[in-house]
Amino acid sequence: MLKLLDRYILKKFLGTFVFTLLVITVIAVVIDTSEKADDFVKSGMTAWQLVIHYYIGFVPFIMSMIFPLIVFIAVIYFSSKMAGRSEFIAILAGGVRYNRMLRPYFIGSIFLSVIFWLASQYWVPRANEIRTDFQAVYVDRNSSYNPDVHRTDNYYLRVDPVTYVGLHSYDTASKSATNFFMQKLKGNKVYYNLRAESIRWDPKKKDWKLSGIVQRNIDGLKETVEKKDSMHVNLNVEPRELRRDDYLKDKLTTPELHQFIHMEEIRGAEGLNTFKVELYHRDATPFSVIIMALIGAIISTRKIRGGSGVHLAVGIVMASTFVVMDKFSVTFSTKGNFPPMLAAWLPNIIYSGLAYGLYVRTPK
C-alpha cells in the first residue's frame, strides 16, 4: 500500500515527467516543422491533413526516442529541488531508511517502463507506419526510400533450404516480373531448373502464376525437358515482401517482426542483424527506464554545493554517454558481427553496474 511519502514523491515524479516530455516533444515538433516546411507545402495538404497523415505518427515516434532520457532528466530535476530544500535530509532524519526512500522511484519507473514496453511492441510501430508512409512519398521522394523508384528491381531469394529463385524487373504496381528462374539444389548440384518468361501474383489463389515455362529435371547426365504455357507455384513469398523498405523494422509490431525474422532465416537471407537489434531493443529500452530513474535518484537526492545545476550537468553527461554507447553497440552489430542481443543490452548491463556502484558509495 502506498504511504504518504510514496504518493508525495510519485506525484512529483510523474508530474515532472509528463511536463518535461510534453515540452521537449513540442520543441521537437517545431524543429521538425521548420525543417520540412517545403515538403509540407509541396504535399498540398491542409494543416489538419498533416496532423492526421504525419504528426499523429511523428509525435509517438519522437516520444519513444526520448522517453528514457526524459525519465532521467525529470528524476534529477525534481529530486535536486527537493534536496536543495533539505527534504531528503528531513526524511532520513525522521527514521526512514534510504532503501525505503527509493521505493517510490522504483514504483514510478516500473509503471512508466511497462507503459513504454507496451507502446514499443504495438503502438509505436503503428504510428511509425503513418509517419514513414508520408515520409516516403513527400520527403524521400527522390531517395531509395521511395517505393516508386524500385519498379525495375531484381530480386534473388532463397525460399526454402534447397530452392533459389530470381525475379527480374519486378514492378510493385502490377506485382509482376520477367525472366523468372527457380533452381533446386541437392548439396551443391542442381537437380531442377525452371525458367519462365513472366511471373505475376494471383490475388485469388494467393500464389504466383508463371507463363512461358521451360522445366528441366536433371539426374546426373540425364536431363528431362518439359514446356508449359502456364502454371502456379507457391514461393512462400508475398508481394509486400518484395518491396524494399528501409523503414520496415520500425513499422512491424513485435509479433510481425518475429515472424519476418523467422521467415527470412528460413530463406537464408543475410543482413538480419538490423531487425534483430530492433527486436531486442524493444525489451532493453523499457528496462533502461528503471536503470536511469534509479541512477538519477541516487545522484540527485544528495544535497551538494551548486544544487540542481550540478545535478543536471552530471545527468546530461551520463545520458549523452548512454546514447553514444547505445549507438556504437548497434552500429557494431549491424555493420559487423557483434551479437544483436548483446548490442541491445550492453548499455543496460554497463549502467546497471554503474547504478550499483553509485548506490554502494552513497551515504545513507
Side-chain angles (χ1 to χ4, degrees):
M1 184 176 178
L2 296 179
K3 302 295 184 180
L4 180 62
L5 175 63
D6 298 322
R7 293 195 298 270
Y8 177 71
I9 293 180
L10 276 173
K11 182 179 178 181
K12 287 184 173 293
F13 183 0
L14 299 178
T16 306
F17 166 76
V18 171
F19 175 77
T20 307
L21 181 64
L22 292 176
V23 169
I24 300 299
T25 301
V26 169
I27 294 173
V29 168
V30 171
I31 294 174
D32 185 71
T33 302
S34 64
E35 290 180 347
K36 295 185 174 68
D38 291 341
D39 299 310
F40 293 157
V41 172
K42 292 176 182 178
S43 71
M45 292 186 178
T46 64
W48 178 247
Q49 288 175 324
L50 288 173
V51 170
I52 296 299
H53 295 288
Y54 179 69
Y55 281 112
I56 200 172
F58 175 78
V59 171
F61 162 73
I62 200 67
M63 284 184 171
S64 68
M65 284 188 60
I66 62 177
F67 198 97
L69 301 183
I70 295 302
V71 171
F72 189 45
I73 294 173
V75 167
I76 287 181
Y77 182 76
F78 87 84
S79 297
S80 62
K81 291 293 185 181
M82 290 178 63
R85 296 191 295 266
S86 302
E87 292 184 46
F88 292 116
I89 294 176
I91 291 171
L92 295 174
V96 176
R97 292 180 302 168
Y98 186 78
N99 291 348
R100 173 64 182 81
M101 189 181 70
L102 290 179
R103 190 172 78 173
Y105 289 95
F106 192 64
I107 294 172
S109 63
I110 290 179
F111 173 73
L112 293 175
S113 179
V114 169
I115 293 176
F116 186 38
W117 183 84
L118 290 172
S120 299
Q121 309 299 310
Y122 303 99
W123 306 331
V124 174
R126 288 294 174 247
N128 279 333
E129 189 170 1
I130 297 172
R131 177 184 64 86
T132 56
D133 285 348
F134 179 92
Q135 186 121 351
V137 175
Y138 298 107
V139 179
D140 302 319
R141 190 186 305 273
N142 298 317
S143 76
S144 60
Y145 294 121
N146 189 349
D148 291 336
V149 176
H150 297 292
R151 300 226 170 164
T152 58
D153 274 342
N154 300 328
Y155 289 91
Y156 302 94
L157 310 168
R158 187 169 82 170
V159 297
D160 62 43
V162 299
T163 306
Y164 296 81
V165 301
L167 297 88
H168 295 267
S169 302
Y170 179 72
D171 189 332
T172 57
S174 62
K175 299 176 183 177
S176 63
T178 59
N179 299 325
F180 171 81
F181 76 84
M182 179 167 64
Q183 292 181 340
K184 293 188 177 182
L185 280 69
K186 185 179 293 183
N188 60 353
K189 295 182 178 180
V190 177
Y191 71 90
Y192 176 81
N193 178 277
L194 181 148
R195 300 276 173 172
E197 294 177 1
S198 64
I199 180 172
R200 181 183 297 272
W201 174 252
D202 189 332
K204 294 182 179 179
K205 294 187 177 182
K206 300 296 183 183
D207 62 11
W208 296 89
K209 182 180 180 180
L210 308 181
S211 301
I213 303 146
V214 178
Q215 294 184 93
R216 288 181 170 85
N217 290 286
I218 305 168
D219 184 9
L221 297 177
K222 298 180 180 179
E223 180 177 329
T224 304
V225 180
E226 182 181 1
K227 295 183 179 181
K228 292 183 178 181
D229 292 331
S230 65
M231 66 180 290
H232 288 260
V233 294
N234 182 8
L235 301 180
N236 202 26
V237 177
E238 295 185 6
R240 63 184 177 88
E241 299 175 67
L242 296 177
R243 174 179 167 179
R244 292 181 183 173
D245 189 351
D246 290 342
Y247 294 123
L248 184 61
K249 67 180 178 62
D250 302 318
K251 295 160 62 172
L252 296 176
T253 63
T254 297
E256 293 171 344
L257 191 56
H258 268 291
Q259 180 66 16
F260 175 83
I261 293 173
H262 175 68
M263 294 303 298
E264 290 298 300
E265 287 177 336
I266 291 176
R267 296 168 187 153
E270 298 180 352
L272 292 178
N273 276 8
T274 301
F275 296 93
K276 291 180 178 179
V277 170
E278 172 66 21
L279 180 65
Y280 298 133
H281 239 275
R282 295 183 182 185
D283 294 326
T285 308
F287 184 76
S288 68
V289 170
I290 300 174
I291 298 173
M292 301 299 277
L294 293 179
I295 291 178
I298 293 170
I299 291 175
S300 58
T301 51
R302 294 180 59 187
K303 185 176 182 178
I304 60 175
R305 182 177 298 175
S308 59
V310 175
H311 286 149
L312 284 173
V314 172
I316 290 173
V317 170
M318 293 186 66
S320 302
T321 305
F322 181 88
V323 171
V324 171
M325 189 183 305
D326 182 62
K327 296 301 181 184
F328 266 106
S329 62
V330 169
T331 302
F332 288 145
S333 179
T334 55
K335 304 297 183 182
N337 297 319
F338 199 56
M341 180 176 286
L342 185 58
W345 283 91
L346 183 60
N348 285 347
I349 294 172
I350 294 176
Y351 268 66
S352 294
L354 176 62
Y356 179 76
L358 291 172
Y359 170 77
V360 170
R361 294 173 59 89
T362 299
K364 303 175 181 59

